[in-house]
Amino acid sequence: MALKIVKSNSVANNREQLISLAQRAYANGDLESAASHFMSALEQNDKDAEIFVQLGVVLFQLSKFDKAVIALRQGLELDPYHVDGHNALGVVMHRLEWYAAAEVFFRRALELNPSHLAAKSSLVETMRKVRETGDTLNPDLEYLVKLTKPVEPTLSLCMIVKNEERFLEDCLRSVQGVVDEIVVVDTGSTDSTVAIAERFGAKVVNFPWIGDFAAARNVSLEHATSDWILVLDADERLDESSKHRLKPLLRQPDAVGFSLIIENILGEKTVEGTQLALLLRLFKNREDVRYEGIVHEQVSPSAGRTGLKTYNCDVKIVHLGYMQECMDERSKNQRNLELLERQLATEPGNPYVHFQLGQTLKLMGNLETAESHYSKALALLKESQAPHNLPYYANLYYNLGDLNRRFKKFEQALSYLEEGKSFFPTYADLIFTVGLCYLDQERWQEAIPHFEHCQTLGGVVHAGGTDPAVTSHKALNAIGICYSKQGENGKAVGYLERAIAAHPNPDAELHANLGVILVLENEPQKAIEHFVAALDRDPKDLRSWINLASLSYRFGQYHESIEAWDKALSINPSLSDALIPKAEALLKLGRLAEADAALREALASQPDARPALLNQSLIYLLQGNLDEARRLWARFGDDSECMALAALADTLEGKSVATERPKDADLIRTWGAILDLAVAAERSEWIQTLMDQLDVLGPLVPGLELEFGKIFYKRQQWQQSLTLYLRAQQRNPQDPEAYVALGNLCQATNNLEDARIMFAKARDLDPAATYPRRQLALLGAR
């Protein structure tokens, strides 16, 4: 029996205003006015379950029980899952002393919402009444009780396939327990695709391929018998966490369909990233809802013409087909291009076809032609004054901005992007690309606010496609780069650390970026950790190998440095600059022949490279070929380093140290480096000659003995180091550095008491020095 609605005299208020008036009247206790306004609202839309329930509650409180039952019944017929409707009808039944019926409705309310407090307390009271009265279910109320047992809408999975044995089984397994029927249209498989489908109980329909995706899709719809249809491709899977959310959507009476989140997995064999999009994949099984378009087919235009609503939802489908290996294996791009060009020949004014041609050509690397199709699509949309809610409209602005940025046409790119932002202010991909335009132009300060804006837009998915990373780690990484470029490396480190923490699988670029900035911040050990992490993710990351090689050398890890340079050269054999530092590491290990070969190879392409020539002169020096060494030093004239080397050669030949010589600091640094190489190369006679000269050289070059002692200390030749440190201390008893060196040596050889004495003496000589005091604290000295 339909509820009779009394017409209102006033027609001035629209439905929303009437509902507001009704709710205000109810809150003020004016139940008659509330009922009147609710009924007037239902005159304008008698398919609103919520308003029927609210009207039923008001009528009950007015003691108009029969009308309350009618209103609540109509509400539950429209929405059988309305929790408060079931609870309210239970209250009415209880008031009319139909306790058994009331118990049924309270139980249904709790079935739908186990935490419904009113239904819980009402059920307890009603069950007590049933026991006391012995009430049983009145057959005359069966028409109401059946509202608690609605017939669940059914769901068909509809697919088109061809040679999908690799993907199909996982796809069908993902919908087990969710769909009631599987319809598979096979367009000519020659593998085990059909057998797999039949094993899952699918209804398989053979349909020869005619080069029209919409036609094949519509054949699958024609064979579906359920109330609703879910469309998947074989390379898609219903996300496990979404399964329980799918069936409840089918209960929404005013919906023709739902757009689901499509998570496109991108990149190579390992996941490199994702893109999120919204596509209408769940819709009512109606004859007037069909696919259109021979490729990149759409069902949304026909669904929109039904007059019913389409909604977005959070059910997710994972799509593997955009992984590079899948695209290459199936030649999808070439196939799509041919079909789109065929469709364009018959529909030259279709903006969607131009858009999809742009998408396909962009994926194929034909960027100029892609840009022309995007431009044509946008022009056609503007000319026809198409609504901006078309799924691909925002994506057009993004792609035109992105391509012009790549072409370095920044003014044109920003024009497209800013116009797009005016229509789609929450589209993070647009805003991120604006930031990239400024970053590419080294306008760091202007770029940062756009990346910061992106961080506020997490979770917003646009139908045309959204990269969730631009609101997360990509934005943080970009901000970090901007701060680093401005010299604010402390801030940069913070943002890059946050980017790595936000990334579900931090890539090599992120780790390498942070490593580079940590080097600038003088945190080399942390930098090494991130370069190693980058190489774990991408063993061909050239930048990380180069940085790792340089840092390993700095820490005296010469074997590791050589290995890293070899890796860099294997990635880029033309990287001649790597040969020189590799040779230096070889020299540190005394591997003179290998160092010489690396230097000769470097000089073949850079014959005047000063570092290569100087290192080659060191090899001549260590080999005793002083004439060849001097010939190379002479090429650099009055160069301080070369003068220091020439002075060392004179000393080795027993000549006096020249009066005109480099500064003592240059001599000490250069001679110390040469002694280190001689120790590595085990040039014992050469070393002995130099040691024999110290009685002469020591007074001439203060600090030389201390430097030589440090070389032997680094090589863990403790006795030689001790001898030199003691000579330095005797020569200058007031030099705190000599006592620090002796303290370090005593500590290294576990002579801790003497170490305390040495550090204490250094502290007394230089009270402002922090190192001796810190070492004393570590040693527990008083």
Side-chain angles (χ1 to χ4, degrees), residues 142-169:
E142 183 59 35
Y143 77 100
L144 288 176
V145 172
K146 71 178 183 181
L147 294 171
T148 64
K149 304 171 184 176
V151 177
E152 290 284 345
T154 54
L155 178 63
S156 293
L157 171 67
C158 289
M159 307 180 68
I160 59 173
V161 297
K162 181 179 179 180
N163 292 334
E164 295 286 4
E165 64 180 3
R166 175 182 175 187
F167 291 106
L168 184 58
E169 183 166 345

Side-chain angles (χ1 to χ4, degrees), residues 435-449:
L436 290 181
C437 282
Y438 289 121
L439 189 151
D440 289 350
Q441 298 177 80
E442 300 185 0
R443 295 160 66 178
W444 321 117
Q445 276 299 115
E446 293 168 272
I448 289 172

Side-chain angles (χ1 to χ4, degrees), residues 60-99:
F60 169 74
Q61 293 183 11
L62 287 168
S63 298
K64 298 178 181 180
F65 303 128
D66 55 342
K67 290 185 177 181
V69 169
I70 294 170
L72 293 169
R73 176 190 174 188
Q74 288 186 243
L76 289 175
E77 285 177 344
L78 289 168
D79 181 4
Y81 307 94
H82 197 297
V83 179
D84 289 332
H86 286 286
N87 181 68
L89 200 46
V91 171
V92 176
M93 296 292 102
H94 188 281
R95 177 65 178 79
L96 295 174
E97 299 183 357
W98 293 330
Y99 301 121

Side-chain angles (χ1 to χ4, degrees), residues 334-354:
Q334 186 58 41
R335 178 205 67 190
N336 291 349
L337 180 62
E338 292 170 2
L339 290 172
L340 286 164
E341 287 175 339
R342 195 180 93 199
Q343 187 171 353
L344 186 65
T346 59
E347 302 177 57
N350 187 328
Y352 183 69
V353 176
H354 282 286

Side-chain angles (χ1 to χ4, degrees), residues 368-394:
E368 289 80 5
T369 311
E371 198 269 345
S372 69
H373 281 289
Y374 286 136
S375 298
K376 181 65 174 176
L378 184 60
L380 288 167
L381 288 175
K382 289 182 175 180
E383 182 182 324
S384 65
Q385 297 183 334
H388 287 96
N389 62 0
L390 287 174
Y392 62 97
Y393 214 139

Side-chain angles (χ1 to χ4, degrees), residues 254-272:
D254 65 338
V256 69
F258 292 88
S259 291
L260 277 54
I261 296 173
I262 311 296
E263 182 180 29
N264 295 304
I265 307 299
L266 310 176
E268 303 295 338
K269 291 183 179 180
T270 56
V271 175
E272 289 189 352

